Amino acid sequence: MKLFKPFYIQPNFFYAGIGIVVLFAISYFVPVLFNIAQFSILVLLFLLFLDFLIIFIGRNKIEGTRILPDKFSNGDKNLIELKINNNYPILIRIDVIDEIPEQFQVRNFKISDTIISRNSKTIQYHLKPTERGEYKFGHLNIYAHSLLNLVAKRFSFEDGAMVPTYPSFKQLKKFELLNINQNSLEFGLKKVRRLGHSMEFEQIKEYVTGDDLRTINWKATAKKNQLMVNQFQDEKSQPIYSIIDKGRVMKMPFNGLSLLDYAINATLVISNVVLKKNDKAGMFSFSKKIENVVISERRSSQMQLILESLYNVKTDFFESDFSRLYASVKRHITHRSLIFLYTNFETLDSLERQLPYLKAISKSHLLVVIFFKNTELNDLIKNNAETVKQVYDKVIAEKFAFEKRLIVNELKKYGIYSILTTPENLTIDTINKYLEIKARGLL
């Protein structure tokens, strides 16, 4: 019975059978076709037996291996490779059905190809996960058949492989060197004019042509009887925190990813940029309680700690408790820090409920509130209204878009910085704001 378990009759056999049945029907009116129809049955059965011998004689005629990455990058295309060896002495056609993880909900995955005799072929395809977690693969099924294509034999390989999906480390590599790369402007990074000194004192040295006259140290000049200037160096090791709201306001999807996952990906990238700038990177998330806390440090293992914490961010999208956030910031962040708060406000009323806590945080820290534009509303505003219903929809959409701008102005009134951005531009806008704050010496 094991011999026939992987045995599959192909559609060509049934097509030929239907043709013979039609031939028998026609032979009722044309008797000469009756003998031809009978002979066709014998030929079909002979070809079926011959095809069976070609495909089923011998073992391990097809070998397959699935090559998976160590981990998937969330929101990015990840390469999967299938290496298939043909040990048959003839050219073989194959249909590959890989049992990909259930999270993708792909029910019709199939790749067809041909492999010449005694040769191998590598088949590639991509998967784009939209949520973090464990992705479990099933069997790699390969159906082999000859050019006759009357029967096929199934070969199964690679049972039970699992790949974890982490925040977008591919995006991390993409932006890793942009802060020192001359081509960074192509990605949207902006140079910001330095407005003043936000420097640590280093030493007093003799004046040379080109030194800033504003740094002349007149007391040292009087003692030395020659011009002396103060030399400064950029402030380093400043604490930078990314705080992620994982409440229900972050559940909104965009291109398959939730706003929460966009914030997680942006946090990973900005943390890497912060460490490259010799600052301290930290993060935590909050909803009903504070979780995934990583205190800002500059140690070599900091990025790995942040990556693991972001991978483990889990939520039921409850209502977020900003009062608990304020208490935690006051307890955990003892030095003045730059805080990027990833959240979302749809209306001015929703902001006003949380504004007292944001004002309290901004008294001790430099707070940047990051929230999102509703891109579907923007598309609705751009479209021309042709019916009364469309006019109403457009007016309501403009009202919500206007409230977003009011939120920016309200935060600015209390000295709170903000970033109003689209999900796809979140990472680059956050990096720009960080570089701007560093260049202007605001921290």
Side-chain angles (χ1 to χ4, degrees):
M1 292 300 293
K2 289 185 178 180
L3 178 65
F4 294 98
K5 189 174 181 180
F7 176 81
Y8 292 86
I9 296 179
Q10 293 294 88
N12 282 2
F13 175 80
F14 297 104
Y15 296 150
I18 292 171
I20 292 173
V21 170
V22 172
L23 198 61
F24 270 113
I26 298 175
S27 67
Y28 182 79
F29 304 100
V30 185
V32 70
L33 295 178
F34 183 76
N35 292 332
I36 297 176
Q38 288 181 316
F39 180 73
S40 298
I41 292 178
L42 297 176
V43 171
L44 179 60
L45 293 176
F46 173 76
L47 292 177
L48 179 66
F49 180 71
L50 178 63
D51 204 16
F52 178 85
L53 293 178
I54 293 173
I55 297 298
F56 280 80
I57 290 181
R59 294 184 176 181
N60 301 323
K61 291 297 186 178
I62 294 290
E63 296 176 345
T65 305
R66 182 198 295 123
I67 302 174
L68 297 171
D70 294 333
K71 53 183 178 288
F72 284 155
S73 177
N74 193 24
D76 300 312
K77 289 183 177 181
N78 298 271
L79 178 65
I80 312 296
E81 291 187 340
L82 306 176
K83 187 173 182 181
I84 302 172
N85 295 325
N86 175 18
N87 298 323
Y88 283 100
I90 60 171
L91 181 144
I92 288 293
R93 292 178 178 176
I94 58 171
D95 294 320
V96 180
I97 298 179
D98 197 0
E99 296 176 1
I100 63 179
E102 61 182 7
Q103 289 94 328
F104 295 103
Q105 290 297 299
V106 177
R107 314 285 178 149
N108 57 349
F109 183 91
K110 181 179 177 181
I111 299 175
S112 299
D113 210 332
T114 58
I115 309 177
I116 60 177
S117 62
R118 313 290 185 185
N119 212 319
S120 63
K121 177 167 285 191
T122 299
I123 297 174
Q124 297 180 342
Y125 68 94
H126 293 84
L127 294 176
K128 184 179 179 181
T130 56
E131 58 185 51
R132 289 161 290 112
E134 295 182 349
Y135 285 66
K136 296 180 180 179
F137 286 79
H139 293 280
L140 170 61
N141 300 299
I142 302 174
Y143 296 83
H145 51 88
S146 68
L147 294 177
L148 293 175
N149 196 18
L150 296 177
V151 297
K153 183 178 181 180
R154 185 187 67 183
F155 297 86
S156 292
F157 309 95
E158 302 287 342
D159 181 28
M162 190 278 290
V163 181
T165 297
Y166 279 77
S168 180
F169 53 84
K170 287 190 175 182
Q171 191 179 95
L172 172 66
K173 294 176 182 178
K174 175 182 175 182
F175 290 103
E176 189 172 19
L177 299 177
L178 290 187
N179 56 329
I180 58 175
N181 192 337
Q182 296 296 323
N183 297 323
S184 61
L185 292 178
E186 297 178 5
F187 292 85
L189 296 183
K190 299 177 291 185
K191 293 184 178 180
V192 180
R193 181 170 59 92
R194 189 181 296 276
L195 299 181
H197 291 292
S198 176
M199 309 283 190
E200 291 179 347
F201 177 77
E202 185 177 9
Q203 65 177 349
I204 300 174
K205 71 178 188 70
E206 296 181 2
Y207 173 84
V208 295
T209 303
D211 283 340
D212 191 345
L213 296 176
R214 294 174 297 175
T215 62
I216 294 177
N217 188 322
W218 293 107
K219 289 185 178 180
T221 298
K223 289 180 180 179
K224 287 284 187 177
N225 200 25
Q226 61 178 347
L227 285 176
M228 305 293 291
V229 295
N230 294 326
Q231 187 173 15
F232 299 88
Q233 63 180 358
D234 287 338
E235 289 184 4
K236 297 178 180 179
S237 298
Q238 296 172 309
I240 314 295
Y241 278 89
S242 297
I243 300 178
I244 302 172
D245 181 357
K246 55 181 185 179
R248 61 184 178 85
V249 296
M250 299 292 281
K251 192 176 183 179
M252 184 184 299
F254 180 83
N255 285 347
L257 264 68
S258 66
L259 296 183
L260 175 62
D261 280 308
Y262 277 104
I264 287 172
N265 291 344
T267 296
L268 183 65
V269 174
I270 192 65
S271 298
N272 186 60
V273 173
V274 164
L275 293 173
K276 293 291 182 182
K277 286 288 188 178
N278 298 312
D279 284 330
K280 299 176 182 178
M283 59 83 59
F284 56 86
S285 63
F286 77 102
S287 178
K288 295 181 72 175
K289 57 183 179 178
I290 306 301
E291 295 178 310
N292 313 110
V293 177
V294 178
I295 301 299
S296 63
E297 295 289 347
R298 277 201 62 234
R299 53 192 168 192
S300 57
S301 61
Q302 191 71 357
M303 275 306 299
Q304 186 61 34
L305 284 174
I306 292 175
L307 179 62
E308 291 296 333
S309 295
L310 292 173
Y311 172 73
N312 291 313
V313 171
K314 294 179 175 61
T315 180
D316 292 324
F317 294 105
F318 290 117
E319 183 73 23
S320 298
D321 188 349
F322 277 75
S323 63
R324 193 178 292 269
L325 169 65
Y326 167 66
S328 182
V329 167
K330 192 172 183 179
R331 182 171 62 255
H332 287 106
I333 308 178
T334 56
H335 299 286
R336 179 172 171 80
S337 307
L338 170 59
I339 297 177
F340 289 106
L341 174 59
Y342 298 90
T343 185
N344 198 29
F345 297 110
E346 289 295 333
T347 64
L348 195 57
D349 288 339
S350 63
L351 169 69
E352 289 175 349
R353 288 197 297 270
Q354 315 301 345
L355 192 56
Y357 306 112
L358 299 180
K359 289 161 60 177
I361 294 173
S362 67
K363 288 180 181 178
S364 303
H365 306 280
L366 184 60
L367 178 62
V368 179
V369 177
I370 304 171
F371 58 109
F372 299 89
K373 296 177 181 177
N374 192 324
T375 53
E376 292 187 5
L377 289 182
N378 291 341
D379 294 338
L380 190 61
I381 292 170
K382 292 177 183 177
N383 294 333
N384 294 325
E386 297 179 354
T387 64
V388 175
K389 183 180 181 301
Q390 290 176 347
V391 171
Y392 279 118
D393 291 342
K394 187 171 183 178
V395 170
I396 293 172
E398 289 176 347
K399 176 182 178 295
F400 278 108
F402 180 68
E403 285 216 33
K404 292 279 188 179
R405 296 192 293 271
L406 287 180
I407 291 172
V408 173
N409 292 332
E410 188 71 14
L411 291 171
K412 187 177 181 181
K413 186 194 302 182
Y414 297 102
I416 302 173
Y417 293 87
S418 63
I419 301 175
L420 177 58
T421 183
T422 56
E424 70 266 27
N425 293 327
L426 171 62
T427 300
I428 201 68
D429 287 344
T430 305
I431 295 174
N432 278 334
K433 180 60 72 173
Y434 166 70
L435 297 178
E436 177 187 347
I437 289 171
K438 290 289 291 183
R440 297 178 65 183
L442 297 176
L443 182 58

